[in-house]
Amino acid sequence: QGEVVESGGGLVQAGGSLRLSCAVSRSIFSSAFVGWYRQPPGKPRDLVASITTGGVPNYADSVKGRFTISRDNADYTVYLQMNNLKPEDTAVYYCKAQTTGKAWTRYNYWGQGTQVTVSS
Protein backbone atom coordinates (compact mmCIF):
# COMPACT_ATOMS: atom_id res chain seq x y z
CA GLN A 1 0.00 0.00 0.00
CA GLY A 2 0.99 3.60 -0.58
CA GLU A 3 0.96 6.55 1.72
CA VAL A 4 -2.67 7.32 0.89
CA VAL A 5 -5.46 4.83 0.18
CA GLU A 6 -9.06 5.77 -0.62
CA SER A 7 -12.13 3.62 -0.22
CA GLY A 8 -15.89 3.93 -0.04
CA GLY A 9 -16.94 4.82 -3.55
CA GLY A 10 -19.85 3.21 -5.33
CA LEU A 11 -23.14 3.65 -7.11
CA VAL A 12 -25.92 5.58 -5.42
CA GLN A 13 -29.18 7.17 -6.47
CA ALA A 14 -29.62 10.91 -6.47
CA GLY A 15 -30.39 12.14 -2.97
CA GLY A 16 -28.43 9.32 -1.39
CA SER A 17 -25.28 9.34 0.71
CA LEU A 18 -21.80 7.88 0.65
CA ARG A 19 -18.84 8.17 2.97
CA LEU A 20 -15.36 8.10 1.51
CA SER A 21 -12.34 7.18 3.60
CA CYS A 22 -8.75 8.25 3.10
CA ALA A 23 -6.28 6.20 5.10
CA VAL A 24 -3.03 8.12 5.50
CA SER A 25 0.27 6.65 6.51
CA ARG A 26 0.98 7.07 10.22
CA SER A 27 4.37 8.55 9.44
CA ILE A 28 2.83 11.62 7.80
CA PHE A 29 -0.73 11.89 9.10
CA SER A 30 -0.18 14.32 11.96
CA SER A 31 1.58 16.84 9.72
CA ALA A 32 -0.54 16.36 6.62
CA PHE A 33 -2.92 18.87 5.10
CA VAL A 34 -5.47 16.64 3.39
CA GLY A 35 -7.74 17.38 0.50
CA TRP A 36 -10.39 15.53 -1.43
CA TYR A 37 -10.45 16.16 -5.17
CA ARG A 38 -12.69 14.89 -7.93
CA GLN A 39 -12.34 14.44 -11.64
CA PRO A 40 -15.39 13.91 -13.83
CA PRO A 41 -14.85 12.25 -17.23
CA GLY A 42 -13.10 14.59 -19.62
CA LYS A 43 -12.74 17.35 -17.05
CA PRO A 44 -9.91 18.57 -14.86
CA ARG A 45 -9.36 17.50 -11.28
CA ASP A 46 -10.78 20.01 -8.80
CA LEU A 47 -10.58 20.46 -5.05
CA VAL A 48 -13.80 19.50 -3.26
CA ALA A 49 -12.88 19.84 0.39
CA SER A 50 -9.80 20.13 2.55
CA ILE A 51 -8.88 19.97 6.20
CA THR A 52 -5.92 21.35 8.07
CA THR A 53 -3.83 19.53 10.64
CA GLY A 54 -5.88 21.36 13.26
CA GLY A 55 -9.16 20.15 11.81
CA VAL A 56 -10.31 23.32 10.07
CA PRO A 57 -12.38 22.41 6.99
CA ASN A 58 -12.89 24.23 3.73
CA TYR A 59 -15.32 23.43 0.91
CA ALA A 60 -15.94 24.18 -2.71
CA ASP A 61 -19.14 26.16 -3.21
CA SER A 62 -20.70 23.29 -5.14
CA VAL A 63 -20.66 20.98 -2.13
CA LYS A 64 -21.19 23.34 0.81
CA GLY A 65 -23.99 22.15 3.03
CA ARG A 66 -23.92 18.65 1.51
CA PHE A 67 -20.40 17.35 2.13
CA THR A 68 -18.52 17.16 5.42
CA ILE A 69 -14.82 16.50 5.76
CA SER A 70 -13.38 15.28 9.04
CA ARG A 71 -10.22 13.67 10.34
CA ASP A 72 -9.85 10.97 12.95
CA ASN A 73 -6.43 11.20 14.56
CA ALA A 74 -6.89 7.86 16.28
CA ASP A 75 -7.11 5.83 13.08
CA TYR A 76 -5.15 8.13 10.73
CA THR A 77 -8.09 8.59 8.43
CA VAL A 78 -9.82 11.52 6.75
CA TYR A 79 -13.47 11.09 5.85
CA LEU A 80 -15.70 12.76 3.31
CA GLN A 81 -19.36 12.37 4.17
CA MET A 82 -21.43 13.12 1.08
CA ASN A 83 -25.15 13.69 1.47
CA ASN A 84 -27.88 14.67 -0.97
CA LEU A 85 -25.76 13.47 -3.84
CA LYS A 86 -26.49 14.74 -7.33
CA PRO A 87 -25.68 13.27 -10.75
CA GLU A 88 -23.15 16.05 -11.25
CA ASP A 89 -21.18 14.68 -8.29
CA THR A 90 -20.27 11.68 -10.43
CA ALA A 91 -16.48 11.52 -10.68
CA VAL A 92 -13.37 9.71 -9.57
CA TYR A 93 -12.55 11.04 -6.12
CA TYR A 94 -8.94 11.37 -5.06
CA CYS A 95 -7.37 12.06 -1.70
CA LYS A 96 -4.15 14.02 -1.41
CA ALA A 97 -2.02 14.39 1.68
CA GLN A 98 0.42 17.27 1.63
CA THR A 99 3.33 17.76 3.97
CA THR A 100 5.95 20.46 4.19
CA GLY A 101 9.64 19.68 4.57
CA LYS A 102 12.84 21.65 4.82
CA ALA A 103 12.95 24.99 3.02
CA TRP A 104 9.16 24.79 2.72
CA THR A 105 9.38 21.99 0.19
CA ARG A 106 5.96 20.46 -0.30
CA TYR A 107 5.41 16.75 -0.74
CA ASN A 108 2.17 15.51 -2.24
CA TYR A 109 0.91 11.99 -1.78
CA TRP A 110 -2.01 10.94 -3.97
CA GLY A 111 -4.25 7.95 -3.64
CA GLN A 112 -5.38 5.77 -6.51
CA GLY A 113 -8.89 7.22 -6.62
CA THR A 114 -12.34 5.80 -5.98
CA GLN A 115 -15.29 5.99 -8.36
CA VAL A 116 -18.51 7.67 -7.26
CA THR A 117 -21.49 7.34 -9.59
CA VAL A 118 -24.79 9.05 -8.87
CA SER A 119 -27.75 7.95 -10.94
CA SER A 120 -30.71 10.19 -11.63
Side-chain angles (χ1 to χ4, degrees), residues 26-87:
R26 296 184 178 192
S27 63
I28 64 171
F29 182 84
S30 63
S31 61
F33 176 90
V34 179
W36 280 100
Y37 294 73
R38 67 186 181 188
Q39 186 168 20
K43 295 185 178 181
R45 190 176 300 185
D46 292 325
L47 180 64
V48 173
S50 63
I51 190 164
T52 69
T53 54
V56 178
N58 193 40
Y59 301 95
D61 288 343
S62 59
V63 305
K64 280 181 181 177
R66 300 188 299 123
F67 290 12
T68 302
I69 189 170
S70 62
R71 62 192 294 156
D72 187 330
N73 295 331
D75 66 4
Y76 309 100
T77 302
V78 172
Y79 299 99
L80 186 67
Q81 177 67 43
M82 306 185 294
N83 298 328
N84 190 22
L85 283 160
K86 304 175 180 180

Side-chain angles (χ1 to χ4, degrees), residues 10 19 21 33-35 40 49 53-54 56-57 59 66 69 73 81-82 90 96 99 102 104-105 108-109 111 116-117:
R19 188 177 78 159
S21 298
F33 176 90
V34 179
T53 54
V56 178
Y59 301 95
R66 300 188 299 123
I69 189 170
N73 295 331
Q81 177 67 43
M82 306 185 294
T90 294
K96 185 186 80 172
T99 61
K102 294 181 180 179
W104 299 103
T105 302
N108 294 317
Y109 305 89
V116 172
T117 303

